[in-house]
Amino acid sequence: MSKALKGIIKLECKIRVLTGLHIGGSKENVEIGGIDNIVIKVPVLKLDEAIERDVPYIPGSSIKGKMRALLEWVEKPEGSMQVIALENKGEPCNCGRCRVCKLFGAHKNAKTEEPVRLRVEDFYPTEKTIDMWKKFLDGDFVEVKVENTIDRIKGTALHPRHQERVIPFSEFTGFIKIRVHEGDRKELFDTIIRGIQLLEDDYLGGSGSRGYGKVKFIKEKILWTDYRKQPFEEKIVDENEIANIYGA
Ligand SMILES: [Zn+2]
């Protein structure tokens, strides 16, 4: 069967941070201070020099990786009764035929001819969010949270650690894109919607079991670009039209 590329669905989303978000960055570009765990930031040169300091963002790889890991606890590989996470003993699926492999790619499986359907962009803060950070965060774009362990005998705090976090009500914007090939079914799109729900019920970044990283996805609009039209035609569609795009 032909697997020609029919078009691409682009989900324009906002990610609203509901509890302090920590996606770890590298310490290389930071002067040595008291921070043990910094958050990942995009150098200001890549965004807008007027902002004057590096800007926290959400890497697409963090969203994609977490979504896949969560989906592998509910999705089964082709021909299996067991969910992927258990079937593969913690390794990502590499069957090359299930919905997860079609969307995210077969792990280390060079033999599959399935194209990878999913693209997740890096998500950058909205202007409103940068204004909020400037107003409330006293010269920085993150809060610093102090955490410690508790001495079981004395009940006192030990070993303080300093964690950078993106503050609640921050919003990031970007696209989740799903390429639609001939023969694809709407279940691929639905799997991504389920992945978003799973992510909202879990957490993004680190320390989720300690309250970090609760986020909400707000779907702003859905765009469909039909590559079979000359010139390519992009239009806004609503969720009910997705079935027609895939063809029943
Ligand atoms: Zn698979």
Side-chain angles (χ1 to χ4, degrees):
M1 193 200 301
S2 154
K3 286 229 167 76
L5 184 60
K6 283 164 66 177
I8 189 162
I9 298 167
K10 300 175 199 166
L11 267 176
E12 187 183 346
C13 295
K14 265 195 196 133
I15 297 176
R16 183 176 295 153
V17 173
L18 301 179
T19 65
L21 173 69
H22 178 89
I23 297 176
S26 125
K27 231 174 161 170
E28 269 168 38
N29 307 322
V30 184
E31 70 274 26
I32 306 303
I35 308 297
D36 302 300
N37 287 303
I38 62 160
V39 304
I40 193 160
K41 300 184 188 84
V42 61
V44 89
L45 289 174
K46 283 194 190 164
L47 275 190
D48 179 356
E49 284 186 66
I51 297 171
E52 291 174 340
R53 62 181 70 92
D54 294 353
V55 177
Y57 74 106
I58 302 176
S61 57
S62 299
I63 302 165
K64 192 172 174 230
K66 189 66 193 255
M67 206 188 277
R68 176 174 192 151
L70 291 167
L71 278 168
E72 291 195 349
W73 276 99
V74 296
E75 293 281 320
K76 294 169 183 155
E78 280 272 301
S80 171
M81 301 295 285
Q82 185 82 279
V83 293
I84 294 167
L86 296 171
E87 177 80 17
N88 285 26
K89 305 193 166 42
E91 288 285 309
C93 193
N94 62 358
C95 79
R97 296 183 307 275
C98 74
R99 291 187 284 256
V100 170
C101 285
K102 283 180 180 172
L103 286 161
F104 294 83
H107 183 63
K108 293 182 187 162
N109 182 354
K111 279 175 279 175
T112 179
E113 286 173 10
E114 286 292 345
V116 177
R117 270 72 161 182
L118 183 66
R119 309 278 189 271
V120 184
E121 289 184 350
D122 290 344
F123 276 61
Y124 292 119
T126 61
E127 269 179 48
K128 215 173 119 191
T129 290
I130 290 176
D131 288 345
M132 176 180 79
W133 292 341
K134 283 182 173 166
K135 195 166 161 200
F136 293 112
L137 288 174
D138 210 22
D140 212 344
F141 284 168
V142 288
E143 65 167 0
V144 176
K145 182 168 183 283
V146 182
E147 300 204 336
N148 38 56
T149 42
I150 294 166
D151 182 314
R152 268 60 177 166
I153 307 291
K154 297 180 194 149
T156 49
L158 296 169
H159 316 303
R161 297 178 303 276
H162 298 81
Q163 299 249 39
E164 279 190 358
R165 307 199 306 178
V166 170
I167 60 171
F169 304 109
S170 302
E171 289 186 339
F172 295 79
T173 182
F175 282 90
I176 294 173
K177 301 179 192 164
I178 306 157
R179 291 155 72 87
V180 179
H181 287 265
E182 298 283 354
D184 280 1
R185 288 153 49 144
K186 182 172 170 278
E187 60 178 26
L188 292 177
F189 176 84
D190 295 339
T191 302
I192 294 306
I193 299 301
R194 281 207 303 281
I196 289 173
Q197 288 171 336
L198 286 164
L199 193 45
E200 287 181 334
D201 287 346
D202 204 72
Y203 62 90
L204 197 56
S207 303
S209 69
R210 293 185 285 132
Y212 287 43
K214 185 158 178 57
V215 295
K216 180 163 182 55
F217 280 77
I218 299 151
K219 279 179 244 143
E220 298 278 296
K221 64 169 96 103
I222 307 175
L223 295 161
W224 162 243
T225 308
D226 195 332
Y227 293 149
R228 295 163 303 181
K229 302 260 168 73
Q230 293 290 348
F232 298 157
E233 184 186 275
E234 182 177 71
K235 60 178 182 180
I236 296 172
V237 294
D238 70 49
E239 221 163 314
N240 300 323
E241 291 171 75
I242 300 294
N244 298 334
I245 287 169
Y246 280 96

